[in-house]
Amino acid sequence: MAGTAGTPGTPRVLRAMNDRAALDLLLEHGPLSRTRIGKLTGLSKPTASQLLARLEAAGLVLAGGTTEGSPGPGAQLYEVNPAAAYAAGLDVTPDRVLAAVADVTGRTVGRYELPTPGRRPAAPVVQQVTDALDGAVKAAGLARADVHRLVIGTPGAFDPGTGRLRYASHLPGWHSPTLLDELAAALPMPVEYENDVNLAAVAEQRLGAARGHEDFVLLWNQEGLGAALVLGGRLHRGWTGGAGEVGFLPVPGAPLVRKVSRAGSGGFQELAGSQALPALARELGLSDLPPGPYHEAAAALVARAARTDDPPHRRLLQTYATRLATGLASLVSVLDPELVVLSGTALAAGGETLRDLVRDELEELAASRPRLVVGDVTDHPVLRGALESALATTRDEVFDTSR
């Protein structure tokens, strides 16, 4: 073919495209034989053999076991080399930093939790980040330099113009204008920053209830109330990164909150946030409230209400559903999404019972009819989304055989 090396249509680019297709199939299906890879990619046996030899020499695939159950000798199986690259993710809250490392196949190989209680950080943020990362790296039996990329999830968002964290006044120590430069100097790998709810949406889009959906909203209720907006398959972050900060949304049924940046709250947060549920339960005559932090108490209340059929608990769940639908109605009226995913502990605890109540209320309040589902990724979805985000870029770089 005509053209210079590395341009579209050249043998090098075509080989790289075939290589990536084979690697993606191995990630999706697990170990495959040369014949099976050839059938799935449409490549001839000689071309598939050359491809696998090339990927094995590059350290990207390993020859493993053989097929079983057929007459004669089994066929050689190939799989992605898990040690080809590693990526890391951090989930940051005011109470702790949770870190994990995954190999290039997506398997978590190390996890570490660093408690960070108190209004003032006991250690500088840079030290918190490096200590948490090092803990996960050590648990994986690796060194910090083995990590190809790190994604950090926090409440709020770092303003792309100023580099300062916005919409997260409750996260102590993270508001220095030089923080991102300090972290870049302390860490040997590229670092990306993303809103925590956006990362929960990434996890649901790639692994959970939103797979195959290009337009959806994820509503999150845990320590705070927020949303992630996915339009055309991509996260919509907004001009300052604040798209989805729906806790600040003025809504009927809640007093108008002014100076919301200083208050760190808004109408929807005051109406339907986790901190409102214990007070609502007391108003409805429920006195045996669960102990613990408000977001844990809220999740326990919702779970109990979803499985209890007495009038006070039914009223609690119905009132909560109405409050959630009140804010959701504004979102779906503007965005008209295909799907709404309910996530975060206070929403997941209600399961399909709460989902059905919110759906029924939303049908009364909004003209559009999105499908409502409960999120499937329940084991630390923010951390899982951080890992998935870091792995996506890592694979693009490591699996590129055109260079």
Side-chain angles (χ1 to χ4, degrees):
M1 293 183 182
T4 58
T7 61
T10 64
R12 177 182 296 180
V13 171
L14 293 175
R15 283 196 299 269
M17 292 171 63
N18 290 335
D19 290 348
R20 181 59 192 265
L23 288 164
D24 287 341
L25 286 169
L26 290 171
L27 286 174
E28 181 181 359
H29 297 284
L32 295 172
S33 67
R34 180 201 62 182
T35 301
R36 184 64 177 153
I37 291 173
K39 288 181 178 179
L40 290 172
T41 58
L43 299 174
S44 67
K45 288 183 178 180
T47 302
S49 295
Q50 293 169 7
L51 177 152
L52 288 168
R54 188 165 59 247
L55 294 179
E56 191 173 9
L60 296 177
V61 301
L62 298 173
T66 57
T67 57
E68 298 178 355
S70 300
Q76 179 72 63
L77 292 175
Y78 296 86
E79 62 185 351
V80 172
N81 180 5
Y86 297 92
L90 264 64
D91 173 14
V92 179
T93 73
D95 300 321
R96 54 101 178 112
V97 180
L98 185 61
V101 175
D103 65 35
V104 77
T105 70
R107 184 174 65 95
T108 299
V109 294
R111 184 180 288 190
Y112 182 80
E113 182 171 341
L114 177 71
T116 57
R119 292 179 177 270
R120 295 182 179 179
V125 164
V126 173
Q127 184 179 336
Q128 291 180 17
V129 168
T130 55
D131 286 352
L133 176 62
D134 287 345
V137 165
K138 182 179 179 181
L142 302 170
R144 192 192 292 181
D146 294 323
V147 176
H148 194 88
R149 181 171 295 268
L150 170 66
V151 170
I152 299 176
T154 68
F158 285 92
D159 190 310
T162 66
R164 299 192 69 160
L165 184 65
R166 302 186 66 182
Y167 317 110
S169 58
H170 62 297
L171 193 63
W174 282 78
H175 299 87
S176 166
T178 63
L179 176 60
L180 299 188
D181 291 336
E182 293 171 14
L183 286 168
L187 295 167
M189 74 291 292
V191 184
E192 298 175 12
Y193 304 87
E194 186 58 88
N195 171 261
D196 52 357
V197 185
N198 283 350
L199 291 175
V202 169
E204 292 292 346
Q205 186 180 32
R206 298 187 180 165
L207 305 171
R211 290 186 72 174
H213 294 275
E214 294 288 302
D215 296 275
F216 70 93
V217 168
L218 181 137
L219 184 68
W220 173 271
N221 199 5
Q222 196 156 294
E223 289 91 347
L225 183 65
L229 317 176
V230 177
L231 307 174
R234 300 174 63 88
L235 282 166
H236 175 69
R237 298 178 177 86
W239 182 44
T240 64
E245 293 290 340
V246 296
F248 298 110
L249 187 71
V251 293
L256 192 63
V257 179
R258 299 185 182 275
K259 298 181 179 179
V260 294
S261 296
R262 184 179 301 173
S265 186
F268 197 17
Q269 179 71 45
E270 296 297 314
L271 185 70
S274 293
Q275 84 283 0
L277 281 166
L280 175 61
R282 285 190 289 269
E283 290 175 15
L284 296 174
L286 295 169
S287 57
D288 183 21
L289 302 185
Y294 70 85
H295 58 278
E296 295 178 7
L301 272 171
V302 173
R304 191 169 71 188
R307 66 174 183 266
T308 305
D309 200 34
D310 63 67
H313 284 97
R314 287 201 302 270
R315 287 196 296 270
L316 173 66
L317 205 63
Q318 180 63 66
T319 303
Y320 182 42
T322 301
R323 292 181 175 191
L324 291 168
T326 300
L328 266 177
S330 296
L331 284 177
V332 303
S333 296
V334 173
L335 298 173
D336 189 22
E338 177 187 4
L339 183 76
V340 174
V341 181
L342 304 179
S343 185
T345 53
L347 295 175
E352 294 186 1
T353 303
L354 176 62
R355 185 274 313 270
D356 291 347
L357 292 172
V358 176
R359 180 198 59 207
D360 293 345
E361 286 291 275
L362 192 59
E363 288 179 355
E364 298 286 333
L365 298 175
S368 60
R369 295 288 187 271
R371 187 163 67 92
L372 265 68
V373 296
V374 180
D376 288 338
V377 184
T378 56
D379 181 22
H380 300 295
V382 175
L383 182 64
R384 189 66 245 177
L387 288 173
E388 287 298 314
S389 181
L391 283 167
T393 305
T394 296
R395 289 167 181 160
D396 285 344
E397 295 171 350
V398 174
F399 290 172
D400 183 0
T401 60
S402 65
R403 292 170 292 184

